[in-house]
C-alpha cells in the first residue's frame, strides 16, 4: 500500500546536469570568469551569509583547505552562493573568499540552488 503511493512525480528533484543548474556566469576577484571555468573540476557549493557568525568563522577554515588543494594541483573549485540580505553584506563576505561566486544580483539562480539543495539560513 505505502509502496504504491510513492511515485516519481511526488519527488521535488529532477536530475539535471550540474552545468545547467549552476549556469555559467560567475564572478571572481581576478576579473572575468570563462564559461568553461568549471570544466573537469570537482565543484563545491558554499552557502553562506555574512550575518551568520558560524558562516564567517567557517570561511577561514574552508579558505585554508581550498588554498591547500590549489597548491597541490587539485582540480577543484568552490562557488559561493550568498544568503546575504543586501549587496553590501555580500561584498563584505565575498572579499574574504578566494573562490568564485554567483553574482549577488542573480537572485533567481541563487534561489534555484537554495531550493534544489534544500539550503535554509537560520
Amino acid at each position: 500500500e505505502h509502496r504504491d503511493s510513492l511515485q516519481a512525480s511526488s519527488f521535488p528533484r529532477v536530475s539535471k546536469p550540474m552545468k545547467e543548474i549552476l549556469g555559467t556566469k560567475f564572478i571572481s576577484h581576478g576579473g572575468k570568469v570563462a564559461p568553461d571555468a568549471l570544466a573537469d573540476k570537482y565543484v563545491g557549493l558554499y552557502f553562506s551569509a555574512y550575518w551568520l557568525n558560524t558562516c564567517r568563522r567557517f570561511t577561514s577554515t574552508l579558505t585554508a583547505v581550498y588554498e591547500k588543494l590549489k597548491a597541490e594541483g587539485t582540480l577543484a573549485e568552490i562557488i559561493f552562493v550568498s544568503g546575504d540580505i543586501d549587496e553590501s553584506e555580500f561584498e563584505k563576505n565575498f572579499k574574504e573568499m578566494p573562490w568564485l561566486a554567483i553574482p549577488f544580483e542573480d537572485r533567481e539562480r541563487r534561489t534555484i540552488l537554495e531550493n534544489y539543495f534544500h539550503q535554509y539560513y537560520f
Side-chain angles (χ1 to χ4, degrees):
E1 180 178 330
H2 175 69
R3 184 175 180 214
D4 293 337
S5 67
L6 295 177
Q7 297 177 358
S9 63
S10 67
F11 292 94
R13 292 191 196 184
V14 176
S15 292
K16 294 181 182 180
M18 186 62 103
K19 186 175 182 177
E20 185 179 327
I21 295 166
L22 287 176
T24 56
K25 185 179 177 193
F26 306 101
I27 59 173
S28 76
H29 300 291
K32 290 186 178 183
V33 178
D36 63 347
L38 304 178
D40 301 322
K41 291 185 179 178
Y42 296 100
V43 176
L45 300 179
Y46 181 37
F47 294 89
S48 179
Y50 188 77
W51 50 270
L52 283 167
N53 289 331
T54 53
C55 289
R56 290 203 320 267
R57 285 192 304 267
F58 182 69
T59 298
S60 63
T61 302
L62 185 57
T63 297
V65 171
Y66 176 83
E67 289 173 347
K68 182 177 184 217
L69 289 172
K70 289 294 192 177
E72 294 171 350
T74 304
L75 295 175
E77 191 56 69
I78 295 175
I79 301 170
F80 169 44
V81 184
S82 175
D84 292 308
I85 296 167
D86 57 39
E87 195 159 4
S88 173
E89 282 193 355
F90 171 85
E91 293 297 333
K92 287 180 203 172
N93 209 0
F94 185 50
K95 77 177 183 179
E96 303 297 324
M97 302 174 184
W99 44 76
L100 304 177
I102 292 177
F104 182 80
E105 64 271 7
D106 195 346
R107 180 71 191 148
E108 180 180 359
R109 188 159 43 130
R110 291 186 297 122
T111 299
I112 288 168
L113 289 167
E114 289 166 358
N115 290 333
Y116 188 84
F117 291 103
H118 300 280
Q119 174 59 48
Y120 306 101
Y121 301 95
F122 297 99

